[in-house]
Amino acid sequence: MTEYVPTIGLEIHVQLQTKTKMFCGCELSFGDEPNIHTCPTCLGLPGALPVVNQRAIEYAIRIGLALGCEIAPRSLFHRKNYFYPDNPKAYQISQYDVPICGAGRLGDVRIHRAHVEEDAAKLIHSGAGSGRIHDAQRSVVDFNRAGTPLVEIVTEPDVHSPEQAREWLTLLRETLRALDVSDVDMSQGSLRCDANVSVAPKGATELGTKTELKNMNSFAFLEKGVRAEIDRQVSLLEAGGRVTQETLHYDPSSGELTSLRSKEEAHDYRYFPEPDMPALVVTEAQRQAIAAALPELPSDRAARFEREYGLAAERAHELAFNRPLGEYYEAAVSGAKHPVAVANWLASLVERIGSEVDPSDSKVTPAAFGALVALVEEKQISRDAGRTVLDKLVAAGGEPQAIVEAEGLGAISASDGGLDEIVAAAIANDPDAAEKVRGGNNKAMGPLVGYVMKQTKGRADGGEVGRLIRQHLGV
Ligand code: ADP
Ligand code: ZN
Ligand code: MG
């Protein structure tokens, strides 16, 4: 059987979170009553003129710079002509041959370009039926979304598996999130992704014919849809067939791929320069000011976490790519002597509050959290006691030191005397295990340590208990 290599190129639409629309002063807002944020411009009434939203341009430049794109000093708006009820002008103002952002790169995927454009209105379909229009089956249009600023990012075909597509899109989303330019919520449509998919026999010098999967609205669906399409194409080729260029819809509930239309070409859109808009000029001073104000990006933050706090690469990545978690970590770690331990304990906190919850919304303040880790690391309390304190902090907040005192959770150590007796009792209680440990069987330590922990209600330090047992047994 021939081995096939899949190739994927992504086209991502990002809704910008500006106060007003791309070419008019209407408010951008979601979930409002339909058709209240409209004006002659975004309704496409004849004679209304567009004026570019400078904030949207600033956001687009921010995105371009974060993706390492060249920023065009002068780019052009074009009209992309098509008829559809969500598009009252019968054209969309977009960019064509001279986009604002040129070639760039994010991670292991090259960016082909990124341009600004306006979103269409929202169509809401209701009723199902025979296909004939009757009362129960109709579509209505909400123009509140019409004219929302979008940035469309187009990648080079550098992705070669469904997993890589998903991972890279996560990298892109977190990078965009750091820029504070968009909600980047796939389920709300503020981040939308189309995937171009092809397969070619391994070693082939040319890419295969691609199809386009439209509008995957979650990371899981993107991965699944791309996988289904790769499988479909491979089966088709194996059966001696050919892939035809077309646009497909993936239904995640049935796993089915259905053809929406044969692929349209650029010339179908009759692109021509937008006569109502001057060229879009970005001065060098403007570009530099935006570059200087760029926030730290997640990948840079991950590298800093490794460097500054000595975290392992994977842990650093985990914290840096989850903004609330990373911010909480830095607040907790500030001035703390045990950054690696703080990161490890943070995993326990997340386990308790759930990974969807921003830890700063929990009852555990970063300061209390850092103090708890310090108590454990400095052996003021045992690891087990630390977990108990964490449970109490999660349930009711408070200060770890006060909880330790109120609950009598302070560590018992050899110097407290009592521990020696408990160790002796453990050995007397399980002579078999004691004999095995004497004989060099380390596993037999388990029940002995367990006994001590039970007697001390977990307040003794595991390492110290081990040392004491060996000392008692003379090994
Ligand atoms: P079109 O002219 O059909 O729009 P483009 O060359 O503009 O195609 O590319 C659109 C998107 O498709 C880009 O993300 C690009 O990386 C991707 N792409 C192009 N060719 C292929 C291919 N053979 N297989 C997979 N993706 C591809
Ligand atoms: Zn308007
Ligand atoms: Mg294209």
Side-chain angles (χ1 to χ4, degrees):
M1 232 176 76
T2 324
E3 202 184 318
Y4 290 92
V5 178
T7 294
I8 300 139
L10 300 173
E11 295 172 278
I12 301 101
H13 284 92
V14 187
Q15 262 182 359
L16 302 181
Q17 210 172 24
T18 46
K19 285 209 181 67
T20 57
K21 294 185 180 180
M22 187 73 212
F23 298 113
C24 65
C26 291
E27 193 187 321
L28 267 195
S29 87
F30 302 93
D32 276 354
E33 198 186 316
N35 296 311
I36 60 171
H37 303 298
T38 62
C39 73
T41 299
C42 57
L43 288 174
L45 301 187
L49 290 173
V51 176
V52 75
N53 179 338
Q54 281 300 333
R55 185 51 59 90
I57 300 307
E58 181 193 326
Y59 285 6
I61 297 170
R62 232 188 255 179
I63 292 174
L65 290 172
L67 302 181
C69 298
E70 287 163 30
I71 306 300
R74 187 172 178 280
S75 63
L76 300 175
F77 287 107
H78 271 68
R79 289 188 181 181
K80 181 179 182 178
N81 298 279
Y82 68 96
F83 170 78
Y84 209 61
D86 63 4
N87 176 26
K89 301 195 293 292
Y91 61 83
Q92 174 193 32
I93 305 180
S94 181
Q95 295 195 293
Y96 181 50
D97 50 357
V98 195
I100 184 167
C101 305
R105 165 183 291 278
L106 178 68
D108 48 9
V109 173
R110 289 167 301 153
I111 305 295
H112 177 60
R113 60 180 281 168
H115 65 255
V116 286
E117 59 186 27
E118 56 176 338
D119 207 348
K122 189 172 193 167
L123 287 177
I124 300 150
H125 308 285
S126 60
S130 60
R132 263 186 289 155
I133 294 172
H134 53 79
D135 283 352
Q137 182 197 358
R138 59 196 195 118
S139 295
V140 292
V141 190
D142 177 4
F143 285 95
N144 286 352
R145 195 181 73 178
T148 297
L150 296 179
V151 166
E152 178 177 344
I153 301 164
V154 182
T155 77
E156 295 293 349
D158 287 349
V159 172
H160 296 288
S161 73
E163 301 76 29
Q164 192 195 352
R166 179 191 183 136
E167 278 165 24
W168 186 81
L169 194 63
T170 310
L171 169 64
L172 176 67
R173 182 186 60 180
E174 294 314 310
T175 302
L176 294 171
R177 199 198 297 284
L179 299 174
D180 269 327
V181 294
S182 169
D183 261 7
V184 290
D185 184 342
M186 284 189 92
S187 66
Q188 297 297 315
S190 50
L191 185 71
R192 314 201 277 265
C193 180
D194 304 339
N196 297 271
V197 179
S198 68
V199 301
K202 194 173 178 177
T205 49
E206 276 178 34
L207 297 177
T209 302
K210 70 170 157 46
T211 57
E212 185 171 0
L213 300 188
K214 274 290 173 199
N215 252 332
M216 249 79 54
N217 60 5
S218 85
F219 285 85
F221 297 166
L222 169 72
E223 187 176 332
K224 277 193 198 155
V226 167
R227 184 170 294 123
E229 177 55 7
I230 291 169
D231 291 347
R232 189 190 69 88
Q233 291 187 13
V234 169
S235 315
L236 202 60
L237 296 178
E238 284 286 295
R242 286 174 51 189
V243 174
T244 38
Q245 267 213 41
E246 60 187 336
T247 303
L248 300 165
H249 170 76
Y250 174 68
D251 179 350
S253 55
S254 67
E256 243 169 88
L257 290 151
T258 45
S259 182
L260 291 175
R261 53 179 183 260
S262 65
K263 166 79 182 154
E264 66 283 352
E265 305 278 345
H267 63 247
D268 295 328
Y269 289 118
R270 302 289 188 274
Y271 277 99
F272 66 86
E274 167 59 72
D276 293 338
M277 296 283 298
L280 180 56
V281 172
V282 180
T283 64
E284 181 54 20
Q286 190 183 0
R287 197 189 66 81
Q288 279 180 10
I290 296 171
L294 274 190
E296 183 178 42
L297 301 178
S299 42
D300 298 333
R301 178 180 271 209
R304 182 169 63 79
F305 281 5
E306 281 186 57
R307 209 173 52 237
E308 209 165 289
Y309 302 124
L311 301 187
E314 203 175 322
R315 182 52 58 85
H317 185 277
E318 225 171 79
L319 296 179
F321 277 73
N322 182 329
R323 187 159 148 185
L325 201 58
E327 282 172 359
Y328 186 89
Y329 173 68
E330 290 218 88
V333 95
S334 96
K337 294 189 214 96
H338 316 282
V340 176
V342 173
N344 292 337
W345 276 90
L346 195 46
S348 307
L349 175 60
V350 169
E351 227 169 71
R352 284 165 170 76
I353 62 175
S355 58
E356 302 306 311
V357 177
D358 178 345
S360 68
D361 292 337
S362 79
K363 296 199 167 116
V364 193
T365 65
F369 186 73
L372 163 64
V373 177
L375 286 176
V376 177
E377 286 303 303
E378 277 143 33
K379 302 204 185 300
Q380 309 283 311
I381 62 175
S382 71
R383 213 154 268 284
D384 267 357
R387 283 188 271 270
T388 306
V389 173
L390 184 56
D391 285 335
K392 295 195 180 294
L393 287 174
V394 168
E399 291 306 319
Q401 187 63 54
I403 295 173
V404 166
E405 279 158 24
E407 306 280 330
L409 290 168
I412 302 179
S413 65
S415 54
D416 292 339
L419 195 53
D420 243 1
E421 280 161 37
I422 299 172
V423 167
I427 291 169
N429 179 60
D430 196 342
D432 272 3
E435 203 43 53
K436 283 185 186 148
V437 172
R438 270 202 200 90
N441 179 350
N442 268 324
K443 278 194 191 131
M445 284 292 278
L448 299 177
V449 174
Y451 180 93
V452 177
M453 287 305 182
K454 198 166 170 211
Q455 295 300 312
T456 59
K457 298 199 175 63
R459 288 162 58 207
D461 176 72
E464 189 163 16
V465 170
R467 269 191 307 281
L468 274 177
I469 293 172
R470 285 175 204 286
Q471 191 184 318
H472 273 248
L473 295 175
V475 291

